[in-house]
CSV table of all heavy atoms in Angstrom, one decimal:
chain,number,residue,atom,x,y,z
A,1,MET,N,32.6,224.4,-24.8
A,1,MET,CA,31.4,224.4,-23.9
A,1,MET,C,31.6,223.4,-22.7
A,1,MET,O,32.3,222.4,-22.9
A,1,MET,CB,30.2,223.9,-24.8
A,1,MET,CG,28.9,224.3,-24.2
A,1,MET,SD,27.6,223.7,-25.2
A,1,MET,CE,27.8,224.4,-26.8
A,2,THR,N,31.0,223.8,-21.6
A,2,THR,CA,31.2,222.9,-20.5
A,2,THR,C,30.2,221.8,-20.5
A,2,THR,O,29.1,221.9,-20.9
A,2,THR,CB,30.9,223.8,-19.2
A,2,THR,OG1,31.4,225.1,-19.3
A,2,THR,CG2,31.5,223.1,-17.9
A,3,ASP,N,30.7,220.6,-20.1
A,3,ASP,CA,29.8,219.5,-20.0
A,3,ASP,C,29.1,219.5,-18.7
A,3,ASP,O,29.7,219.6,-17.6
A,3,ASP,CB,30.7,218.2,-20.1
A,3,ASP,CG,30.5,217.6,-21.5
A,3,ASP,OD1,29.8,218.1,-22.3
A,3,ASP,OD2,31.1,216.5,-21.7
A,4,LEU,N,27.9,219.3,-18.9
A,4,LEU,CA,27.0,219.2,-17.6
A,4,LEU,C,26.3,217.9,-17.6
A,4,LEU,O,25.7,217.4,-18.5
A,4,LEU,CB,25.9,220.3,-17.7
A,4,LEU,CG,26.3,221.7,-17.3
A,4,LEU,CD1,25.1,222.6,-17.6
A,4,LEU,CD2,26.6,221.8,-15.9
A,5,ASN,N,26.6,217.2,-16.4
A,5,ASN,CA,25.9,215.9,-16.2
A,5,ASN,C,24.9,216.2,-15.1
A,5,ASN,O,25.1,216.7,-14.1
A,5,ASN,CB,26.8,214.8,-15.8
A,5,ASN,CG,27.5,214.2,-17.0
A,5,ASN,OD1,26.9,213.9,-18.0
A,5,ASN,ND2,28.8,214.0,-16.9
A,6,ILE,N,23.6,215.8,-15.4
A,6,ILE,CA,22.6,216.0,-14.5
A,6,ILE,C,22.0,214.7,-13.9
A,6,ILE,O,21.8,213.8,-14.7
A,6,ILE,CB,21.5,216.9,-15.2
A,6,ILE,CG1,22.1,218.1,-15.7
A,6,ILE,CG2,20.3,217.1,-14.3
A,6,ILE,CD1,21.2,219.1,-16.3
A,7,GLN,N,21.9,214.7,-12.6
A,7,GLN,CA,21.4,213.5,-12.0
A,7,GLN,C,20.0,213.5,-11.8
A,7,GLN,O,19.3,214.5,-11.4
A,7,GLN,CB,22.1,213.3,-10.6
A,7,GLN,CG,21.8,212.0,-10.0
A,7,GLN,CD,22.4,211.7,-8.7
A,7,GLN,OE1,22.9,212.7,-8.0
A,7,GLN,NE2,22.4,210.5,-8.2
A,8,PHE,N,19.4,212.4,-12.1
A,8,PHE,CA,18.0,212.2,-12.0
A,8,PHE,C,17.7,211.1,-11.0
A,8,PHE,O,18.4,210.1,-10.9
A,8,PHE,CB,17.3,211.8,-13.3
A,8,PHE,CG,17.3,212.9,-14.4
A,8,PHE,CD1,18.3,212.9,-15.2
A,8,PHE,CD2,16.3,213.9,-14.4
A,8,PHE,CE1,18.4,213.9,-16.2
A,8,PHE,CE2,16.4,214.8,-15.3
A,8,PHE,CZ,17.4,214.9,-16.2
A,9,THR,N,16.6,211.2,-10.3
A,9,THR,CA,16.1,210.1,-9.6
A,9,THR,C,14.7,209.8,-10.1
A,9,THR,O,13.9,210.7,-10.1
A,9,THR,CB,16.1,210.3,-8.0
A,9,THR,OG1,17.4,210.7,-7.6
A,9,THR,CG2,15.7,209.1,-7.2
A,10,CYS,N,14.5,208.6,-10.5
A,10,CYS,CA,13.2,208.2,-11.1
A,10,CYS,C,12.1,208.2,-10.0
A,10,CYS,O,12.3,207.6,-9.0
A,10,CYS,CB,13.3,206.9,-11.7
A,10,CYS,SG,11.7,206.2,-12.3
A,11,PRO,N,11.0,208.9,-10.2
A,11,PRO,CA,9.9,208.9,-9.2
A,11,PRO,C,9.2,207.6,-9.1
A,11,PRO,O,8.6,207.4,-8.1
A,11,PRO,CB,9.0,210.0,-9.7
A,11,PRO,CG,9.2,210.1,-11.2
A,11,PRO,CD,10.7,209.7,-11.4
A,12,ASP,N,9.4,206.7,-10.1
A,12,ASP,CA,8.7,205.4,-10.1
A,12,ASP,C,9.5,204.4,-9.3
A,12,ASP,O,8.9,203.7,-8.5
A,12,ASP,CB,8.4,205.0,-11.5
A,12,ASP,CG,7.0,205.6,-11.9
A,12,ASP,OD1,6.6,206.6,-11.4
A,12,ASP,OD2,6.4,205.0,-12.8
A,13,CYS,N,10.8,204.3,-9.7
A,13,CYS,CA,11.5,203.1,-9.2
A,13,CYS,C,12.7,203.5,-8.3
A,13,CYS,O,13.4,202.7,-7.8
A,13,CYS,CB,12.0,202.2,-10.4
A,13,CYS,SG,13.2,203.0,-11.4
A,14,ASP,N,12.9,204.9,-8.2
A,14,ASP,CA,14.0,205.4,-7.3
A,14,ASP,C,15.4,205.1,-7.9
A,14,ASP,O,16.4,205.3,-7.1
A,14,ASP,CB,13.9,204.9,-5.9
A,14,ASP,CG,13.2,205.8,-5.0
A,14,ASP,OD1,12.8,206.9,-5.4
A,14,ASP,OD2,13.0,205.5,-3.8
A,15,HIS,N,15.5,204.8,-9.1
A,15,HIS,CA,16.8,204.5,-9.7
A,15,HIS,C,17.4,205.9,-10.1
A,15,HIS,O,16.8,206.8,-10.6
A,15,HIS,CB,16.5,203.8,-11.0
A,15,HIS,CG,17.8,203.5,-11.8
A,15,HIS,ND1,18.7,202.6,-11.4
A,15,HIS,CD2,18.2,204.0,-13.0
A,15,HIS,CE1,19.7,202.6,-12.3
A,15,HIS,NE2,19.4,203.4,-13.3
A,16,SER,N,18.7,206.0,-9.7
A,16,SER,CA,19.4,207.3,-10.0
A,16,SER,C,20.3,207.1,-11.2
A,16,SER,O,20.9,206.0,-11.4
A,16,SER,CB,20.3,207.6,-8.8
A,16,SER,OG,19.5,208.1,-7.7
A,17,PHE,N,20.2,208.1,-12.1
A,17,PHE,CA,21.0,208.0,-13.3
A,17,PHE,C,21.4,209.4,-13.8
A,17,PHE,O,20.8,210.4,-13.4
A,17,PHE,CB,20.3,207.3,-14.4
A,17,PHE,CG,18.9,207.9,-14.8
A,17,PHE,CD1,18.8,208.7,-15.9
A,17,PHE,CD2,17.9,207.6,-14.0
A,17,PHE,CE1,17.5,209.2,-16.2
A,17,PHE,CE2,16.6,208.2,-14.2
A,17,PHE,CZ,16.4,209.0,-15.4
A,18,PHE,N,22.5,209.5,-14.6
A,18,PHE,CA,23.0,210.7,-15.1
A,18,PHE,C,22.7,210.9,-16.5
A,18,PHE,O,22.8,209.9,-17.3
A,18,PHE,CB,24.5,210.8,-14.8
A,18,PHE,CG,24.9,211.1,-13.4
A,18,PHE,CD1,25.2,210.0,-12.5
A,18,PHE,CD2,25.0,212.4,-12.9
A,18,PHE,CE1,25.5,210.3,-11.2
A,18,PHE,CE2,25.4,212.6,-11.6
A,18,PHE,CZ,25.6,211.6,-10.8
A,19,LEU,N,22.4,212.1,-16.9
A,19,LEU,CA,22.3,212.4,-18.3
A,19,LEU,C,23.1,213.6,-18.7
A,19,LEU,O,23.2,214.5,-17.9
A,19,LEU,CB,20.8,212.6,-18.7
A,19,LEU,CG,19.9,211.4,-18.8
A,19,LEU,CD1,18.5,211.8,-18.9
A,19,LEU,CD2,20.3,210.5,-19.9
A,20,ASP,N,23.6,213.6,-19.9
A,20,ASP,CA,24.4,214.7,-20.4
A,20,ASP,C,23.4,215.9,-20.8
A,20,ASP,O,22.4,215.6,-21.4
A,20,ASP,CB,25.2,214.2,-21.6
A,20,ASP,CG,26.1,215.3,-22.2
A,20,ASP,OD1,27.1,215.6,-21.5
A,20,ASP,OD2,25.8,215.7,-23.3
A,21,SER,N,23.8,217.0,-20.5
A,21,SER,CA,22.9,218.2,-20.8
A,21,SER,C,22.6,218.3,-22.3
A,21,SER,O,21.5,218.6,-22.7
A,21,SER,CB,23.6,219.5,-20.3
A,21,SER,OG,24.8,219.7,-20.9
A,22,GLU,N,23.6,218.0,-23.1
A,22,GLU,CA,23.4,218.1,-24.6
A,22,GLU,C,22.3,217.0,-25.0
A,22,GLU,O,21.5,217.3,-25.9
A,22,GLU,CB,24.6,217.8,-25.3
A,22,GLU,CG,25.7,218.9,-25.2
A,22,GLU,CD,25.1,220.2,-25.7
A,22,GLU,OE1,24.7,220.3,-26.8
A,22,GLU,OE2,25.2,221.2,-24.9
A,23,GLU,N,22.4,215.9,-24.4
A,23,GLU,CA,21.5,214.8,-24.7
A,23,GLU,C,20.0,215.3,-24.3
A,23,GLU,O,19.0,215.0,-25.0
A,23,GLU,CB,21.8,213.6,-23.8
A,23,GLU,CG,21.3,212.3,-24.4
A,23,GLU,CD,21.8,211.1,-23.5
A,23,GLU,OE1,22.9,211.2,-23.0
A,23,GLU,OE2,21.1,210.1,-23.5
A,24,ILE,N,19.9,215.9,-23.1
A,24,ILE,CA,18.6,216.4,-22.7
A,24,ILE,C,18.1,217.4,-23.6
A,24,ILE,O,16.9,217.4,-24.0
A,24,ILE,CB,18.7,217.0,-21.2
A,24,ILE,CG1,19.2,215.8,-20.2
A,24,ILE,CG2,17.5,217.6,-20.8
A,24,ILE,CD1,19.6,216.4,-19.0
A,25,LEU,N,18.9,218.3,-24.1
A,25,LEU,CA,18.5,219.4,-25.0
A,25,LEU,C,18.1,218.9,-26.3
A,25,LEU,O,17.2,219.4,-27.0
A,25,LEU,CB,19.5,220.5,-25.1
A,25,LEU,CG,19.9,221.3,-23.9
A,25,LEU,CD1,21.0,222.2,-24.2
A,25,LEU,CD2,18.7,222.2,-23.5
A,26,GLU,N,18.7,217.7,-26.8
A,26,GLU,CA,18.4,217.3,-28.1
A,26,GLU,C,17.4,216.2,-28.1
A,26,GLU,O,16.9,215.9,-29.2
A,26,GLU,CB,19.7,216.7,-28.7
A,26,GLU,CG,20.6,217.9,-29.2
A,26,GLU,CD,22.0,217.4,-29.4
A,26,GLU,OE1,22.2,216.2,-29.6
A,26,GLU,OE2,22.9,218.3,-29.4
A,27,SER,N,17.1,215.6,-27.0
A,27,SER,CA,16.1,214.5,-27.0
A,27,SER,C,14.7,214.9,-27.0
A,27,SER,O,14.3,216.0,-26.5
A,27,SER,CB,16.3,213.6,-25.8
A,27,SER,OG,17.6,213.0,-25.7
A,28,GLU,N,13.9,214.2,-27.8
A,28,GLU,CA,12.4,214.5,-27.8
A,28,GLU,C,11.8,214.2,-26.4
A,28,GLU,O,10.9,214.9,-26.0
A,28,GLU,CB,11.8,213.6,-28.9
A,28,GLU,CG,12.1,214.0,-30.3
A,28,GLU,CD,11.2,215.1,-30.7
A,28,GLU,OE1,10.0,215.1,-30.6
A,28,GLU,OE2,11.8,216.2,-31.2
A,29,PHE,N,12.2,213.1,-25.8
A,29,PHE,CA,11.8,212.8,-24.5
A,29,PHE,C,12.9,212.0,-23.7
A,29,PHE,O,13.8,211.5,-24.3
A,29,PHE,CB,10.5,212.0,-24.6
A,29,PHE,CG,10.6,210.7,-25.4
A,29,PHE,CD1,11.0,209.5,-24.8
A,29,PHE,CD2,10.3,210.7,-26.7
A,29,PHE,CE1,11.1,208.4,-25.5
A,29,PHE,CE2,10.4,209.5,-27.4
A,29,PHE,CZ,10.8,208.3,-26.8
A,30,LEU,N,12.7,212.0,-22.5
A,30,LEU,CA,13.7,211.3,-21.6
A,30,LEU,C,13.0,210.2,-20.8
A,30,LEU,O,11.9,210.4,-20.3
A,30,LEU,CB,14.4,212.2,-20.7
A,30,LEU,CG,15.2,213.4,-21.3
A,30,LEU,CD1,15.6,214.3,-20.2
A,30,LEU,CD2,16.4,212.8,-22.0
A,31,LYS,N,13.6,209.1,-20.7
A,31,LYS,CA,13.0,208.1,-19.8
A,31,LYS,C,14.1,207.4,-18.9
A,31,LYS,O,15.2,207.4,-19.2
A,31,LYS,CB,12.2,207.1,-20.6
A,31,LYS,CG,13.0,206.4,-21.7
A,31,LYS,CD,12.1,205.5,-22.5
A,31,LYS,CE,12.9,204.7,-23.5
A,31,LYS,NZ,12.1,203.7,-24.3
A,32,CYS,N,13.6,206.8,-17.9
A,32,CYS,CA,14.4,206.2,-16.9
A,32,CYS,C,14.9,204.9,-17.5
A,32,CYS,O,14.2,204.1,-18.1
A,32,CYS,CB,13.5,205.8,-15.7
A,32,CYS,SG,14.3,204.6,-14.6
A,33,PRO,N,16.3,204.7,-17.5
A,33,PRO,CA,16.9,203.5,-18.1
A,33,PRO,C,16.5,202.2,-17.4
A,33,PRO,O,16.6,201.1,-17.9
A,33,PRO,CB,18.3,203.7,-18.0
A,33,PRO,CG,18.5,204.7,-16.9
A,33,PRO,CD,17.2,205.5,-16.9
A,34,SER,N,16.0,202.3,-16.2
A,34,SER,CA,15.6,201.2,-15.4
A,34,SER,C,14.2,200.7,-15.7
A,34,SER,O,14.0,199.5,-16.0
A,34,SER,CB,15.8,201.4,-13.9
A,34,SER,OG,15.4,200.4,-13.1
A,35,CYS,N,13.2,201.6,-15.5
A,35,CYS,CA,11.8,201.1,-15.7
A,35,CYS,C,11.2,201.7,-17.0
A,35,CYS,O,10.0,201.3,-17.3
A,35,CYS,CB,11.0,201.5,-14.5
A,35,CYS,SG,10.7,203.2,-14.3
A,36,GLY,N,11.8,202.7,-17.6
A,36,GLY,CA,11.3,203.2,-18.8
A,36,GLY,C,10.2,204.3,-18.6
A,36,GLY,O,9.6,204.7,-19.6
A,37,CYS,N,10.1,204.7,-17.3
A,37,CYS,CA,9.1,205.8,-17.1
A,37,CYS,C,9.6,207.1,-17.7
A,37,CYS,O,10.7,207.5,-17.5
A,37,CYS,CB,9.0,205.9,-15.5
A,37,CYS,SG,8.3,207.4,-14.9
A,38,ALA,N,8.8,207.7,-18.4
A,38,ALA,CA,9.2,209.0,-19.2
A,38,ALA,C,8.8,210.2,-18.4
A,38,ALA,O,7.9,210.3,-17.7
A,38,ALA,CB,8.5,209.0,-20.5
A,39,LEU,N,9.7,211.2,-18.6
A,39,LEU,CA,9.5,212.5,-18.0
A,39,LEU,C,8.4,213.2,-18.8
A,39,LEU,O,8.3,213.1,-20.0
A,39,LEU,CB,10.8,213.4,-18.1
A,39,LEU,CG,11.4,213.9,-16.9
A,39,LEU,CD1,12.1,212.7,-16.2
A,39,LEU,CD2,12.5,214.9,-17.3
A,40,SER,N,7.5,214.0,-18.0
A,40,SER,CA,6.5,214.7,-18.8
A,40,SER,C,7.1,215.8,-19.6
A,40,SER,O,8.2,216.3,-19.3
A,40,SER,CB,5.5,215.2,-17.7
A,40,SER,OG,6.0,216.3,-17.1
A,41,GLU,N,6.3,216.2,-20.6
A,41,GLU,CA,6.7,217.3,-21.5
A,41,GLU,C,7.0,218.6,-20.6
A,41,GLU,O,8.0,219.3,-20.9
A,41,GLU,CB,5.6,217.6,-22.4
A,41,GLU,CG,6.1,217.7,-23.9
A,41,GLU,CD,4.9,217.8,-24.8
A,41,GLU,OE1,4.5,218.9,-25.1
A,41,GLU,OE2,4.4,216.8,-25.3
A,42,GLU,N,6.2,218.8,-19.6
A,42,GLU,CA,6.4,220.0,-18.8
A,42,GLU,C,7.7,219.9,-18.0
A,42,GLU,O,8.4,220.9,-17.9
A,42,GLU,CB,5.2,220.1,-17.8
A,42,GLU,CG,5.3,221.2,-16.8
A,42,GLU,CD,4.2,222.2,-16.9
A,42,GLU,OE1,3.3,221.9,-17.7
A,42,GLU,OE2,4.3,223.2,-16.1
A,43,GLU,N,7.9,218.7,-17.4
A,43,GLU,CA,9.2,218.6,-16.7
A,43,GLU,C,10.4,218.8,-17.5
A,43,GLU,O,11.4,219.4,-17.1
A,43,GLU,CB,9.3,217.2,-16.0
A,43,GLU,CG,8.4,217.0,-14.8
A,43,GLU,CD,8.4,215.6,-14.4
A,43,GLU,OE1,8.1,214.7,-15.2
A,43,GLU,OE2,8.8,215.3,-13.2
A,44,LEU,N,10.3,218.2,-18.7
A,44,LEU,CA,11.4,218.4,-19.7
A,44,LEU,C,11.7,219.8,-20.1
A,44,LEU,O,12.8,220.3,-20.2
A,44,LEU,CB,11.1,217.5,-20.9
A,44,LEU,CG,12.2,217.2,-21.9
A,44,LEU,CD1,13.4,216.6,-21.2
A,44,LEU,CD2,11.7,216.2,-23.0
A,45,ARG,N,10.6,220.6,-20.3
A,45,ARG,CA,10.7,221.9,-20.6
A,45,ARG,C,11.4,222.7,-19.5
A,45,ARG,O,12.3,223.5,-19.8
A,45,ARG,CB,9.3,222.5,-20.9
A,45,ARG,CG,9.4,223.8,-21.7
A,45,ARG,CD,8.0,224.3,-22.1
A,45,ARG,NE,7.2,224.7,-21.0
A,45,ARG,CZ,5.9,224.3,-20.7
A,45,ARG,NH1,5.4,223.5,-21.6
A,45,ARG,NH2,5.3,224.7,-19.7
A,46,HIS,N,11.0,222.5,-18.2
A,46,HIS,CA,11.6,223.2,-17.1
A,46,HIS,C,13.1,222.8,-17.0
A,46,HIS,O,13.9,223.7,-16.8
A,46,HIS,CB,10.9,222.8,-15.8
A,46,HIS,CG,9.6,223.5,-15.7
A,46,HIS,ND1,9.5,224.8,-15.7
A,46,HIS,CD2,8.3,222.9,-15.5
A,46,HIS,CE1,8.2,225.1,-15.5
A,46,HIS,NE2,7.5,224.0,-15.4
A,47,LEU,N,13.4,221.6,-17.3
A,47,LEU,CA,14.8,221.1,-17.3
A,47,LEU,C,15.6,221.8,-18.3
A,47,LEU,O,16.7,222.2,-18.0
A,47,LEU,CB,14.7,219.6,-17.6
A,47,LEU,CG,15.9,218.8,-17.1
A,47,LEU,CD1,16.2,218.9,-15.7
A,47,LEU,CD2,15.6,217.3,-17.5
A,48,ARG,N,15.1,222.0,-19.5
A,48,ARG,CA,15.8,222.6,-20.6
A,48,ARG,C,16.1,224.1,-20.2
A,48,ARG,O,17.2,224.6,-20.5
A,48,ARG,CB,15.0,222.5,-21.9
A,48,ARG,CG,15.1,221.2,-22.5
A,48,ARG,CD,14.4,221.1,-23.8
A,48,ARG,NE,14.6,219.8,-24.4
A,48,ARG,CZ,13.7,219.1,-25.1
A,48,ARG,NH1,12.5,219.6,-25.2
A,48,ARG,NH2,14.0,218.0,-25.6
A,49,ILE,N,15.1,224.7,-19.6
A,49,ILE,CA,15.3,226.1,-19.2
A,49,ILE,C,16.4,226.2,-18.2
A,49,ILE,O,17.3,227.0,-18.3
A,49,ILE,CB,14.0,226.7,-18.7
A,49,ILE,CG1,12.9,226.8,-19.8
A,49,ILE,CG2,14.2,228.0,-18.0
A,49,ILE,CD1,11.5,227.1,-19.3
A,50,ALA,N,16.4,225.3,-17.3
A,50,ALA,CA,17.4,225.3,-16.2
A,50,ALA,C,18.8,225.0,-16.8
A,50,ALA,O,19.8,225.6,-16.4
A,50,ALA,CB,17.1,224.2,-15.2
A,51,ILE,N,18.9,224.1,-17.7
A,51,ILE,CA,20.2,223.8,-18.4
A,51,ILE,C,20.7,225.0,-19.2
A,51,ILE,O,21.9,225.3,-19.0
A,51,ILE,CB,20.0,222.6,-19.3
A,51,ILE,CG1,19.8,221.3,-18.6
A,51,ILE,CG2,21.3,222.4,-20.2
A,51,ILE,CD1,19.4,220.1,-19.4
A,52,ASN,N,19.8,225.6,-19.9
A,52,ASN,CA,20.3,226.8,-20.6
A,52,ASN,C,20.8,227.9,-19.7
A,52,ASN,O,21.7,228.6,-20.0
A,52,ASN,CB,19.2,227.3,-21.5
A,52,ASN,CG,19.0,226.4,-22.8
A,52,ASN,OD1,19.9,226.0,-23.4
A,52,ASN,ND2,17.7,226.2,-23.2
A,53,TYR,N,20.1,228.0,-18.6
A,53,TYR,CA,20.5,229.0,-17.6
A,53,TYR,C,21.8,228.7,-17.0
A,53,TYR,O,22.7,229.5,-16.9
A,53,TYR,CB,19.4,229.0,-16.5
A,53,TYR,CG,19.7,230.0,-15.4
A,53,TYR,CD1,19.5,231.4,-15.6
A,53,TYR,CD2,20.2,229.6,-14.2
A,53,TYR,CE1,19.8,232.3,-14.6
A,53,TYR,CE2,20.5,230.5,-13.1
A,53,TYR,CZ,20.3,231.8,-13.4
A,53,TYR,OH,20.6,232.7,-12.4
A,54,MET,N,22.1,227.4,-16.7
A,54,MET,CA,23.4,227.0,-16.1
A,54,MET,C,24.5,227.2,-17.1
A,54,MET,O,25.6,227.5,-16.8
A,54,MET,CB,23.3,225.5,-15.7
A,54,MET,CG,22.6,225.4,-14.3
A,54,MET,SD,22.7,223.6,-13.8
A,54,MET,CE,21.5,222.8,-14.7
A,55,LYS,N,24.2,226.9,-18.4
A,55,LYS,CA,25.2,227.0,-19.4
A,55,LYS,C,25.6,228.5,-19.6
A,55,LYS,O,26.8,228.8,-19.7
A,55,LYS,CB,24.7,226.5,-20.7
A,55,LYS,CG,24.7,225.0,-20.9
A,55,LYS,CD,23.9,224.6,-22.1
A,55,LYS,CE,24.9,224.1,-23.2
A,55,LYS,NZ,24.1,223.5,-24.3
A,56,GLU,N,24.6,229.4,-19.6
A,56,GLU,CA,24.9,230.8,-19.6
A,56,GLU,C,25.8,231.2,-18.5
A,56,GLU,O,26.8,231.9,-18.7
A,56,GLU,CB,23.7,231.5,-19.6
A,56,GLU,CG,23.6,232.6,-20.6
A,56,GLU,CD,22.2,233.1,-20.9
A,56,GLU,OE1,21.7,234.0,-20.1
A,56,GLU,OE2,21.5,232.5,-21.7
A,57,LYS,N,25.5,230.7,-17.3
A,57,LYS,CA,26.3,231.1,-16.1
A,57,LYS,C,27.7,230.6,-16.2
A,57,LYS,O,28.7,231.2,-15.9
A,57,LYS,CB,25.6,230.4,-14.9
A,57,LYS,CG,24.4,231.2,-14.4
A,57,LYS,CD,24.7,231.9,-13.1
A,57,LYS,CE,23.6,232.9,-12.8
A,57,LYS,NZ,24.0,233.7,-11.7
A,58,SER,N,27.9,229.3,-16.7
A,58,SER,CA,29.2,228.7,-16.7
A,58,SER,C,30.1,229.3,-17.8
A,58,SER,O,31.3,229.2,-17.7
A,58,SER,CB,29.1,227.2,-16.9
A,58,SER,OG,28.6,227.0,-18.2
A,59,THR,N,29.5,230.0,-18.8
A,59,THR,CA,30.4,230.6,-19.8
A,59,THR,C,30.8,232.0,-19.5
A,59,THR,O,31.6,232.6,-20.2
A,59,THR,CB,29.7,230.6,-21.2
A,59,THR,OG1,28.4,231.2,-21.1
A,59,THR,CG2,29.5,229.2,-21.7
A,60,HIS,N,30.3,232.6,-18.5
A,60,HIS,CA,30.7,233.9,-18.1
A,60,HIS,C,31.6,234.0,-16.9
A,60,HIS,O,31.6,233.1,-16.1
A,60,HIS,CB,29.4,234.7,-17.7
A,60,HIS,CG,28.6,235.0,-18.9
A,60,HIS,ND1,29.0,235.7,-20.0
A,60,HIS,CD2,27.3,234.7,-19.2
A,60,HIS,CE1,28.1,235.7,-20.9
A,60,HIS,NE2,27.0,235.1,-20.5
B,101,ZN,ZN1,12.4,204.2,-13.1
């Protein structure tokens, strides 16, 4: 399986960080390592859909 690292920029503190796609799919919630601001459930759901889509693309 291809490793996907996804870059985030925190909307609260502008801190940029990378998360592993597997971590995103397996985590209950995600938060900024700098300020602890959590992603909303909706954002996380969209993100998971996008990751699954990218994974499908990369395996073909
Ligand atoms: Zn932050």
Side-chain angles (χ1 to χ4, degrees):
M1 203 185 297
T2 320
D3 253 2
L4 281 171
N5 278 315
I6 300 182
Q7 186 178 13
F8 293 93
T9 302
C10 175
D12 271 27
C13 69
D14 263 358
H15 177 71
S16 286
F17 55 102
F18 284 92
L19 283 172
D20 186 66
S21 60
E22 290 304 305
E23 201 179 330
I24 295 164
L25 292 174
E26 284 165 20
S27 298
E28 286 281 308
F29 56 88
L30 296 172
K31 57 183 183 177
C32 168
S34 173
C35 72
C37 162
L39 240 72
S40 76
E41 229 172 88
E42 174 121 5
E43 281 174 304
L44 195 51
R45 197 173 68 231
H46 285 302
L47 199 57
R48 285 180 174 144
I49 291 167
I51 290 167
N52 282 323
Y53 179 76
M54 282 189 280
K55 279 170 106 172
E56 224 165 88
K57 284 250 165 192
S58 65
T59 53
H60 291 301

